Amino acid sequence: MNAMDEQSEERTRGMAGDKLAGRVALVTGGSRGIGAAICRSLASQGASVAAGYSGNRERAEQFLREFEEDSSSGGRATVHQGNVSRPEDCQRVVQEVLDAHGRLDILVNNAGITIDKMAMKMSVQDWNTVLAVNLSGSFYMAQPALQHMVERGTGRIIFVSSVIGETGNIGQANYAASKAGILGLTKTLAKEAAFILARAGKLTDDGVGITVNTVTPGFVATEMLESVPEKVLDKIRSQIPVGRLCRPEEIARVVHFLAADASAYITGQVWGVNGGMDM
Ligand code: CAA
């Protein structure tokens, strides 16, 4: 990281605080990229974090080491292996987090993959694999988390969708459809959570409640962009009004804002962080 990046990371991460002190957050795909930035951001407000990862154990352990060395991290961290496209893994991971931390206040569904091909060349397997991880995985994670949150009467679910779910993109029929699906999932779960709390008499004027929201990042400088050919990336860059890629911390600060108790009146919403790409 160069000096300019460090400076902007400081600026976008914002002041450390205690807005999430005592809270426990589970972040899928939390050991790298946007997910790791979200973990650091939530921890900077005092939350303990549980980072989910699918295959790269070494990277998960590196994340833990870096987290422990970072003096601005308020809470503690754990890592949990699981494939979000398998419902049984999702249930186990949520249970592991409850066993390790005693509670789950914030679920950030961030795990996602791409298999980019023009639609006419996309195999059924390419389609199903991306839908299974990005969309079904979001549902499989949300279900056990919501169950626990409804019992407690409080919680935050934040999905990481994409601007591509709103605009579509050449080569991304599977990814765009999965990310668009998350928008419908968000609004439905937001309605159901409020409905169930109201029916149980747990919806109070000054309560934390259960909210469900989505963040739609634009093109973020992470490993995911490595598969995009340079000539295509140049084209994409030229279509971003603010003229640059997004930094992971710029997504993370919106997530930690939505996760705060004081964001109780924001639910079922889609928060674009895309440099103006959808204007
Ligand atoms: N936007 C604009 N033009 C695109 C494009 C895109 N997304 N994707 C491809 N093109 C253009 C190429 O520039 C090329 O144009 P020319 O013929 O003028 O050179 C043409 O389409 C054909 O492209 P390729 O030569 O690359 O064709 P291919 O069949 O080998 O590959 C592809 C097609 C798989 C779609 C490949 O171009 C590709 O990977 N595109 C990038 C897709 C992309 O944007 N992925 C985003 C990943 S990051 C992410 O998904 C996170 C997020 O939420 C934003």
Side-chain angles (χ1 to χ4, degrees):
M1 201 186 283
N2 64 34
M4 181 88 91
D5 283 345
E6 268 175 37
Q7 218 177 33
S8 60
E9 183 179 337
E10 283 290 317
R11 195 178 60 227
T12 46
R13 219 204 278 194
M15 300 279 287
D18 60 1
K19 284 196 197 86
L20 300 174
R23 298 292 188 203
V24 174
L26 166 56
V27 182
T28 65
S31 66
R32 53 193 170 138
I34 297 175
I38 291 171
C39 286
R40 287 193 297 269
S41 177
L42 295 173
S44 77
Q45 294 299 323
S48 288
V49 296
Y53 70 98
S54 58
N56 194 337
R57 189 185 170 85
E58 215 173 286
R59 186 66 197 83
E61 279 165 5
Q62 187 187 334
F63 162 81
L64 265 188
R65 278 194 305 275
E66 287 170 3
F67 186 94
E68 278 154 17
E69 283 162 15
D70 184 352
S71 56
S72 68
S73 304
R76 68 188 188 98
T78 53
V79 290
H80 305 267
Q81 192 281 329
N83 177 344
V84 296
S85 70
R86 297 162 56 106
E88 60 276 21
D89 280 21
C90 297
Q91 281 157 13
R92 173 182 50 76
V93 165
V94 169
Q95 192 54 52
E96 274 180 28
V97 174
L98 293 175
D99 292 344
H101 296 270
R103 57 194 289 159
L104 174 59
D105 302 281
I106 302 158
L107 170 68
V108 184
N109 271 294
N110 163 73
I113 59 166
T114 55
I115 305 177
D116 293 349
K117 278 176 201 160
M118 296 285 191
M120 282 182 290
K121 290 189 191 161
M122 191 173 279
S123 70
V124 169
Q125 194 180 344
D126 298 334
W127 172 266
N128 284 334
T129 304
V130 170
L131 266 289
V133 173
N134 298 3
L135 181 56
S136 301
S138 296
F139 173 66
Y140 299 150
M141 285 304 303
Q143 208 175 28
L146 198 54
Q147 184 87 41
H148 169 74
M149 289 174 185
V150 162
E151 278 165 21
R152 295 230 339 262
T154 61
R156 297 279 179 264
I157 297 182
I158 299 152
F159 293 103
V160 179
S161 171
S162 166
V163 68
I164 304 303
E166 300 167 305
T167 63
N169 188 27
I170 295 169
Q172 295 203 287
N174 48 4
Y175 185 81
S178 70
K179 294 298 189 176
I182 288 176
L183 309 185
L185 180 61
T186 299
K187 288 174 190 288
T188 300
L189 295 186
K191 282 188 177 175
E192 289 189 7
F195 170 75
I196 291 165
L197 283 195
R199 201 170 50 183
K202 291 181 183 167
L203 212 53
T204 57
D205 277 1
D206 55 355
V208 172
I210 300 176
T211 65
V212 185
N213 291 287
T214 285
V215 179
T216 51
F219 283 81
V220 185
T222 64
E223 284 165 39
M224 201 178 243
L225 279 188
E226 283 168 12
S227 62
V228 178
E230 200 48 48
K231 66 173 180 183
V232 179
L233 200 52
D234 286 344
K235 233 187 229 179
I236 288 168
R237 255 196 219 100
S238 72
Q239 291 160 3
I240 303 172
V242 304
R244 63 170 175 84
L245 298 176
C246 181
R247 289 184 281 270
E249 293 72 28
E250 291 173 305
I251 307 301
R253 71 195 300 266
V254 176
V255 172
H256 98 224
F257 165 73
L258 292 170
D261 290 0
S263 294
Y265 207 63
I266 305 169
T267 195
Q269 301 305 303
V270 178
W271 288 68
V273 188
N274 57 41
M277 278 190 81
D278 60 341
M279 292 189 287

